[in-house]
Amino acid sequence: MRDETVINSTGRVDGSGSVFTTAVLAVNALVVLLIISSNSLVLAAIRLDSCLREDIRYIFIGGLAIADLLFGLSMTYNFITVFALYWVDSYYGCLTAYVMPVISLTASSFSVFLITVDQYVSVVYALRYRNVMTATTAKRLLRAVWCGSVFFGCTVYMGWNTYDGRCLMLDAMSPSFLLTMGTMAYMLPILCMIVLYTRILTIARYHVRQIALQEQINQDPLLRERGIYNFKQFLFDFRLLYALIIKAC
C-alpha cells in the first residue's frame, strides 16, 4: 500500500492514518516511554535514599535526570502537536514544540559537563574536594545551567527565528540559532570534557606509577636503604647550605 503521508505548505502532516505516521508515533512513544520511566526511576531512587541525596555527585546526576525527563516530555508535546493534533498554526505553539527540546538538551549537555567538573575536582583537588565542591556550590551551578538554558531557548520567542507559518524545524528555527546551539551547547562542553578527562587520566596514571614504585621500594630492601640514604644525604646538604648562609650573614 502506497504511503500517502504528505507535509503540506502549512507544515501540517496530512494522512495521519497512514502507515508511516503510525510507525513514527509508535517508535516515538516507545523512546519517550523509556526516557521518562528510566529518569523517573533515577529521581525516585535519589529522593528515597538519604545517602544518595547527601552525595554531591548525585546532585548533578539528579539535575541530568530532570533535564532528560523534560526532554522526554517535550518530545511528547512535539510529536503530538506536529503529527497528531496539528497545533502548529499558532506562532508560540509552533516555536514551543522546538524550544522545549532546546532547553532540555542544553541543560542536559551542561549537566554532563558539571559531572565531569566534579570528577576533575575530586581527583585533582582530592584533599580540598569537600571544601570546594559543597552541596550549596553544586546547586548554584545547576541553577546557573538551567537559567542559561532557559534564557537561550527563550531567545527564539524574542525574534531569533525564521517562522513563516510553516512549522518545520528548518523553516521555523533560524540557521544562526541552530549553529550557535550546536557550537555552544554541544561542541564546547564536549571539547572541555575531553580536556578535563585527559587531565584526569594523566593524574591517575601518575598516581598509579607512584603507588607501584612505593610498593617496589617496600618490597626491595636495597631500594629502601637507597631511599633512606638519599634522604639522609639531602638532610646533610640542607644543613650545610643553611650553615653557609648563616656564616655569610
Side-chain angles (χ1 to χ4, degrees), residues 18 39 41 83 88 149 153 161:
S18 67
N39 287 284
L41 290 174
F83 285 95
V88 292
S149 301
N161 65 79

Side-chain angles (χ1 to χ4, degrees), residues 48-121:
L48 297 175
D49 194 327
S50 59
C51 295
L52 297 182
R53 291 199 305 271
E54 296 174 358
D55 194 326
I56 304 298
R57 293 172 296 179
Y58 284 95
I59 295 178
F60 294 121
I61 292 175
L64 176 61
I66 293 174
D68 291 342
L69 180 61
L70 178 61
F71 175 73
L73 297 175
S74 66
M75 288 303 297
T76 303
Y77 173 83
N78 186 298
F79 273 79
I80 289 177
T81 55
V82 174
F83 285 95
L85 300 180
Y86 313 141
W87 298 342
V88 292
D89 291 335
S90 167
Y91 173 82
Y92 290 103
C94 174
L95 294 181
T96 300
Y98 300 112
V99 168
M100 290 177 62
V102 167
I103 293 175
S104 58
L105 287 176
T106 303
S108 177
S109 176
F110 279 98
S111 294
V112 174
F113 173 67
L114 289 181
I115 293 174
T116 305
V117 172
D118 177 69
Q119 294 294 323
Y120 177 79
V121 174

Side-chain angles (χ1 to χ4, degrees), residues 2 20 43 48 70 83 118 123-124 126 132 160 164 218 232:
R2 186 170 61 88
F20 173 77
L43 292 174
L48 297 175
L70 178 61
F83 285 95
D118 177 69
V123 172
V124 179
V132 174
W160 200 359
D164 58 358
N218 292 335
K232 290 181 178 179

